[in-house]
Amino acid sequence: MDCLFCRIVRGELPANVVFENESVLAFKDINPLAPTHVLVVPKTHLASLDDVPDDPELAGKILLGVRQTAEKIGVAGGYKVVTNCGEAAGQVVHHLHFHILAGKKFVP
Ligand code: 5GP
Ligand code: ZN
């Protein structure tokens, strides 16, 4: 798949990786909006949350990857998770990703 985050997952483009398991890769956002801003992406290409299949095992692994990333980077208990689904919501990269944001207050 010729997709920016697929290329990062494959190691074809550099990224500042902070966590990895069999299901997800987590790396620092190139344009951080908070003192901590990490993106968690599934290793398989899914365009957005809309495209997550009715597969509780896969969905659970992705969610666990988010939680495990938060633990690994030391923000457990104090972070926000955001996923933009679709261009109307501000999604720019069409490979599912969860923003982990911490270190400042956000509204809402
Ligand atoms: P979206 O708006 O799609 O939810 O978020 C895309 C995010 O990907 C943005 O926060 C943007 O800064 C980040 N981003 C875009 N290109 C790259 C890149 O090449 N490397 C990294 N690490 N982050 C990127
Ligand atoms: Zn992709």
Side-chain angles (χ1 to χ4, degrees):
M1 188 82 185
D2 190 22
C3 148
L4 178 64
F5 288 172
C6 281
R7 295 186 69 195
I8 288 176
V9 166
R10 290 197 298 264
E12 296 169 6
L13 292 174
N16 194 333
V17 173
V18 297
F19 177 77
E20 179 172 14
N21 68 17
E22 60 166 356
S23 305
V24 303
L25 184 74
F27 50 89
K28 291 186 180 176
D29 195 292
I30 204 168
N31 183 26
L33 301 177
T36 296
H37 188 171
V38 164
L39 302 174
V40 184
V41 313
K43 287 187 170 176
T44 54
H45 182 85
L46 297 165
S48 77
L49 197 57
D50 278 345
D51 295 298
V52 174
D54 293 332
D55 177 349
E57 189 175 342
L58 174 62
K61 283 181 174 176
I62 295 170
L63 186 61
L64 283 174
V66 176
R67 193 266 282 163
Q68 290 166 354
T69 299
E71 267 181 29
K72 175 75 189 301
I73 64 177
V75 299
Y79 62 96
K80 182 180 287 289
V81 177
V82 173
T83 190
N84 295 318
C85 186
E87 283 171 13
Q91 185 177 8
V92 173
V93 179
H94 295 276
H95 179 129
L96 176 63
H97 53 282
F98 294 87
H99 300 254
I100 294 181
L101 299 151
K104 74 177 232 191
K105 284 209 181 299
F106 291 93
V107 178

